[in-house]
Amino acid sequence: VGRVLLASRNFANDATFDIKKCDIHRLEEGPPTTAVLTREEGLKYYKIMQTVRRMELKADQLYKQKIIRGFCHLYDGQEACCMGLEAGINPTDHVITAYRAHGFTYTRGLPVREILAELTGRRGGCAKGKGGSMHMYAKNFYGGNGIVGAQGQIFEAYNMAALWKLPCIFICENNRYGMGTSVERAAASTDYYKRGDFIPGIRVDGMDVLCVREATKFAAAYCRSGKGPMLMELQTYRYHGHSMSDPGVSYRTREEIQEVRSKSDPIMLLKDRMVNNNLASIEELKEIDVEVRKEIEDAAQFATADPEPPLEELGYHIYSRDPPFEVRGANQWIKYKSVS
């Protein structure tokens, strides 16, 4: 007869943490410097961030096996940004992001298998295999987009948002490098949170999920009250290169990457806080890790076995609710049917 040992343990329901004070621009005061984390929230954030991390590592593997092709920008290292932002807004709020989109696609509610299948260009992908890494969409999430912060356009957007007092939060995920150029080499002023000029701004520790959550709640409350837009700079870091074609070590040292990993990894910071404040046990978090790994493995199986979309569907889904029409192909004799 197998014996079962049940070790019951009482965890705390919540804990209060000191978080880094945000730098502020054109504001009397910034977000709070303490945050309450419940056990339930902590476990949820941990699982989501760990899922994004594992999903990106799996995408790296599939890319190296040539199962994922083309552009692929990975999000590992920046998980506290997408998680903290989602935790600070409502599912009914609208989000739009740049090309490093996988993390947001997951926090906005799409399952891993649909994200990985989109990366492999299969029918079961969230954009039916036609969008790939940079163009994924979910409810109230208008996808990854190929261009970010093109200077003239962003200042034009700032100006219009301020003139019309739009409830819009502009977010700069400052991961210290624009492709292979460090911020110090690219910008005479690296205070991106002040770049809105007449728009108030905050600079946030983007490696701390609680910092990001509190700053987002603060910015959202400001916007919802009708005061107009706000700018948020999240100081974060990406472990991978800019994209899969960038090894990421020609313009920065391996030691730098290692130091960030060992001192300010967002998942490790959350884990330490939870364990040290009796919100969770190491064993429990390890169980979550095992669960996450399995989910990622299953999703990867699906993403490699699922069929590619057929050629005749090339012109489908151009419009959402329109009668079918014809799309011209590569020459005028090739026609594709477009169905909504």
Side-chain angles (χ1 to χ4, degrees):
V1 181
R3 292 219 174 114
V4 179
L5 173 68
L6 283 176
S8 79
R9 181 172 158 188
N10 292 329
F11 290 109
N13 282 332
D14 58 52
T16 305
F17 298 97
D18 290 328
I19 53 175
K20 194 178 166 194
K21 190 172 194 273
C22 294
D23 298 316
I24 56 176
H25 168 68
R26 282 188 176 254
L27 287 165
E28 297 289 307
E29 55 176 351
T33 52
T34 60
V36 176
L37 178 69
T38 66
R39 170 173 150 79
E40 200 180 332
E41 285 168 343
L43 291 171
K44 179 183 163 187
Y45 300 167
Y46 181 81
K47 186 173 183 181
I48 291 175
M49 286 161 71
Q50 194 65 281
T51 302
V52 172
R53 172 73 51 93
R54 291 273 148 218
M55 176 172 79
E56 295 302 61
L57 295 177
K58 180 52 76 177
D60 172 87
Q61 199 185 336
L62 292 171
Y63 199 95
K64 285 168 178 158
Q65 293 169 352
K66 292 190 164 59
I67 295 167
I68 295 173
R69 293 172 175 272
F71 291 104
C72 186
H73 307 83
L74 300 181
Y75 199 73
D76 48 323
Q78 301 181 206
E79 293 90 353
C81 297
C82 66
M83 184 65 253
L85 288 167
E86 191 59 48
I89 58 171
N90 307 323
T92 48
D93 291 324
H94 306 271
V95 176
I96 186 164
T97 192
Y99 45 74
R100 204 174 300 283
H102 312 159
F104 285 97
T105 312
Y106 183 70
T107 52
R108 284 263 91 184
L110 283 187
V112 177
R113 55 190 278 149
E114 285 189 28
I115 298 171
L116 287 182
E118 190 53 47
L119 285 171
T120 58
R122 309 303 170 98
R123 289 172 88 165
C126 57
K128 308 270 190 282
K130 294 184 205 162
S133 172
M134 303 194 284
H135 308 291
M136 300 182 178
Y137 310 91
K139 189 162 173 56
N140 299 328
F141 173 59
Y142 308 105
N145 293 272
I147 296 290
V148 283
Q151 287 305 316
Q153 292 169 342
I154 202 137
F155 286 110
E156 214 173 310
Y158 284 166
N159 188 48
M160 289 167 82
L163 281 173
W164 296 341
K165 284 195 158 44
L166 299 181
C168 178
I169 307 171
F170 293 100
I171 296 152
C172 165
E173 281 185 275
N174 179 2
N175 60 22
R176 313 219 304 236
Y177 296 91
M179 297 183 80
T181 310
S182 70
V183 287
E184 295 79 17
R185 283 179 57 217
S189 163
T190 56
D191 292 341
Y192 295 103
Y193 70 109
K194 295 180 180 174
R195 291 279 186 99
D197 186 12
F198 38 78
I199 295 176
I202 48 178
R203 182 161 59 191
V204 185
D205 179 357
M207 298 304 261
D208 178 353
V209 70
L210 294 183
C211 246
V212 179
R213 184 190 74 182
E214 294 307 310
T216 307
K217 283 182 175 173
F218 172 85
Y222 178 94
C223 289
R224 291 189 212 283
S225 70
K227 292 179 187 167
M230 186 176 280
L231 184 49
M232 241 167 97
E233 176 187 344
L234 307 179
Q235 293 187 301
T236 183
Y237 198 82
R238 59 166 158 80
Y239 296 153
H240 264 86
H242 164 72
S243 69
M244 288 302 292
S245 57
D246 166 23
V249 287
S250 58
Y251 50 86
R252 57 181 188 179
T253 62
R254 289 181 195 276
E255 290 73 41
E256 178 187 297
I257 304 167
Q258 211 32 59
E259 189 178 4
V260 177
R261 272 187 190 277
S262 61
K263 289 187 180 159
S264 30
D265 182 78
I267 299 175
M268 180 189 78
L269 290 177
L270 177 65
K271 181 182 184 173
D272 291 350
R273 270 180 175 159
M274 290 181 72
V275 171
N276 298 339
N277 290 272
N278 194 32
L279 289 174
S281 66
I282 289 179
E283 297 73 40
E284 186 178 20
L285 296 176
K286 273 189 182 147
E287 274 172 30
I288 292 176
D289 294 348
V290 171
E291 216 178 297
V292 166
R293 279 207 170 114
K294 187 182 178 327
E295 186 191 349
I296 302 296
E297 281 309 321
D298 293 350
Q301 279 303 120
F302 172 73
T304 46
D306 197 48
E308 291 185 351
L311 185 62
E312 58 268 20
E313 286 183 16
L314 186 66
Y316 281 26
H317 313 121
I318 293 173
Y319 296 109
S320 65
R321 282 189 288 274
D322 268 31
F325 62 99
E326 282 191 332
V327 180
R328 197 184 117 167
N331 67 46
Q332 65 206 49
W333 297 283
I334 299 175
K335 296 268 198 293
Y336 294 105
K337 192 173 184 183
S338 183
V339 179
S340 295

